[in-house]
Amino acid sequence: MTKKQVVKLDPKADWLKFEGKVYKSNIGWSDMGKFTKGSKLGEVSRGMASHIPIGAEIYESKERSDILIVDYMKVEKHYLLQRGE
């Protein structure tokens, strides 16, 4: 899905765009799951996210390739890759 599609479905969506793919947080099961940070992939820059501060660190999840873990100010959030139907 594109960022525009995600926002159209949920105008208040907590989204992250990374390497051309859109991820969304607050997906029930992804927030409840226990995920382990893998390699650091980068940092959030201007325009990449709706609710994450610039400089937040982005990590891969060791358990699932479609989950990114974002860490900032001792807060860890999970973002699930958004796929179209």
Side-chain angles (χ1 to χ4, degrees):
M1 295 179 77
T2 65
K3 178 178 82 171
K4 187 176 180 178
Q5 290 170 319
V6 168
V7 172
K8 185 176 180 180
L9 291 171
D10 181 2
K12 296 181 182 182
D14 182 356
W15 57 266
L16 166 69
K17 187 170 183 179
F18 183 72
E19 295 185 345
K21 298 175 184 173
V22 178
Y23 296 79
K24 184 179 171 195
S25 189
N26 300 322
I27 307 288
W29 64 266
S30 70
D31 292 328
M32 296 173 69
K34 183 72 174 161
F35 298 100
T36 309
K37 283 191 259 184
S39 299
K40 182 177 175 181
L41 302 174
E43 293 184 358
V44 173
S45 60
R46 184 176 299 246
M48 277 180 69
S50 62
H51 293 78
I52 310 167
I54 293 171
E57 298 176 334
I58 303 169
Y59 295 88
E60 67 181 358
S61 164
K62 289 185 177 182
E63 291 77 19
R64 293 185 57 131
S65 62
D66 59 349
I67 296 277
L68 292 180
I69 300 170
V70 176
D71 191 352
Y72 62 96
M73 300 181 338
K74 299 183 182 181
V75 173
E76 191 173 287
K77 293 176 86 174
H78 304 140
Y79 286 80
L80 175 66
L81 177 63
Q82 299 298 289
R83 295 187 173 112
E85 293 185 37

